[in-house]
Amino acid sequence: MAYKFSVLTQKQAENIAFNWHYDGEYSFYDIEADKDDLDEFLNSEERGNSTFAVTKENELVAFINISEVTDRTFDIGLGMRPDLTGKGNGIEFLRAGINFIQSEFKPGKITLSVATFNQRAIKLYRKVGFKDEETFMQDTNGSTFKFLMMEYKC
């Protein structure tokens, strides 16, 4: 069964924000871990039509935010339901996301940023074809963290 992408509803946003909790160091990705991120994620006007629920067999399994940064460059943020992470689901999900973006937005390239400690995700992104671009420091979750920006040429 294929992944389906639809604009994230308020109910789905609240479910993700308050019920998706990751284990150990990955709790960094809990939406509730940063008040500004939480407020933005729960604000339907801020989300607009750029955050999508990803379902499989009518079950919410992930989300993806897609923002046009420059002409034909789209930046993404994504998250998979915690109980599905680390089990080999990432490649299929990420490829489906790239296919969705390519069919809906016709990008020249897709970028994303990932915390450098998250080697599991970095390995996945590289496997699918993302290339390392640069590292930068970002304030989030009450501290400053090192991130890696990656790029996928379409």
Side-chain angles (χ1 to χ4, degrees), residues 23-42:
D23 292 331
E25 66 183 345
Y26 298 106
S27 65
F28 174 87
Y29 292 104
D30 291 358
I31 302 288
E32 292 176 296
D34 185 277
K35 179 162 180 4
D36 291 338
D37 290 345
L38 175 64
D39 290 346
E40 183 178 326
F41 194 78
L42 292 176

Side-chain angles (χ1 to χ4, degrees), residues 67-120:
S67 304
E68 188 169 13
V69 182
T70 61
D71 186 41
R72 299 194 63 229
T73 298
F74 291 82
D75 190 66
I76 62 171
L78 58 155
M80 181 172 272
R81 202 174 69 211
D83 63 307
L84 300 175
T85 61
K87 297 179 179 171
N89 296 307
I91 290 177
E92 181 186 21
F93 162 57
L94 189 54
R95 286 187 176 143
I98 290 169
N99 290 339
F100 173 74
I101 294 164
Q102 289 178 321
S103 68
E104 294 294 315
F105 302 100
K106 311 293 187 249
K109 65 182 173 181
I110 299 168
T111 60
L112 60 78
S113 298
V114 57
T116 56
F117 77 81
N118 192 350
Q119 290 298 307
R120 182 173 73 184

Side-chain angles (χ1 to χ4, degrees), residues 2-147:
Y3 289 98
K4 182 181 172 201
F5 295 79
S6 57
V7 174
L8 190 73
T9 67
Q10 187 63 27
K11 183 178 178 183
Q12 290 168 324
E14 291 170 9
N15 177 19
I16 292 166
F18 300 123
N19 297 315
W20 288 20
H21 299 287
Y22 299 88
D23 292 331
E25 66 183 345
Y26 298 106
S27 65
F28 174 87
Y29 292 104
D30 291 358
I31 302 288
E32 292 176 296
D34 185 277
K35 179 162 180 4
D36 291 338
D37 290 345
L38 175 64
D39 290 346
E40 183 178 326
F41 194 78
L42 292 176
N43 185 322
S44 61
E45 288 182 20
E46 291 219 17
R47 278 195 323 270
N49 293 327
S50 64
T51 303
F52 297 85
V54 183
T55 56
K56 191 171 186 179
E57 298 175 5
N58 294 319
E59 191 175 324
L60 181 63
V61 297
F63 69 89
I64 186 167
N65 177 272
I66 305 165
S67 304
E68 188 169 13
V69 182
T70 61
D71 186 41
R72 299 194 63 229
T73 298
F74 291 82
D75 190 66
I76 62 171
L78 58 155
M80 181 172 272
R81 202 174 69 211
D83 63 307
L84 300 175
T85 61
K87 297 179 179 171
N89 296 307
I91 290 177
E92 181 186 21
F93 162 57
L94 189 54
R95 286 187 176 143
I98 290 169
N99 290 339
F100 173 74
I101 294 164
Q102 289 178 321
S103 68
E104 294 294 315
F105 302 100
K106 311 293 187 249
K109 65 182 173 181
I110 299 168
T111 60
L112 60 78
S113 298
V114 57
T116 56
F117 77 81
N118 192 350
Q119 290 298 307
R120 182 173 73 184
I122 292 169
K123 182 179 173 186
L124 165 69
Y125 300 146
R126 287 176 178 154
K127 188 180 281 190
V128 171
F130 280 85
K131 304 291 184 212
D132 297 10
E133 287 298 309
E134 63 183 342
T135 58
F136 62 94
M137 302 302 288
Q138 180 166 326
D139 294 334
T140 186
N141 296 26
S143 191
T144 304
F145 296 89
K146 188 175 184 180
F147 280 78

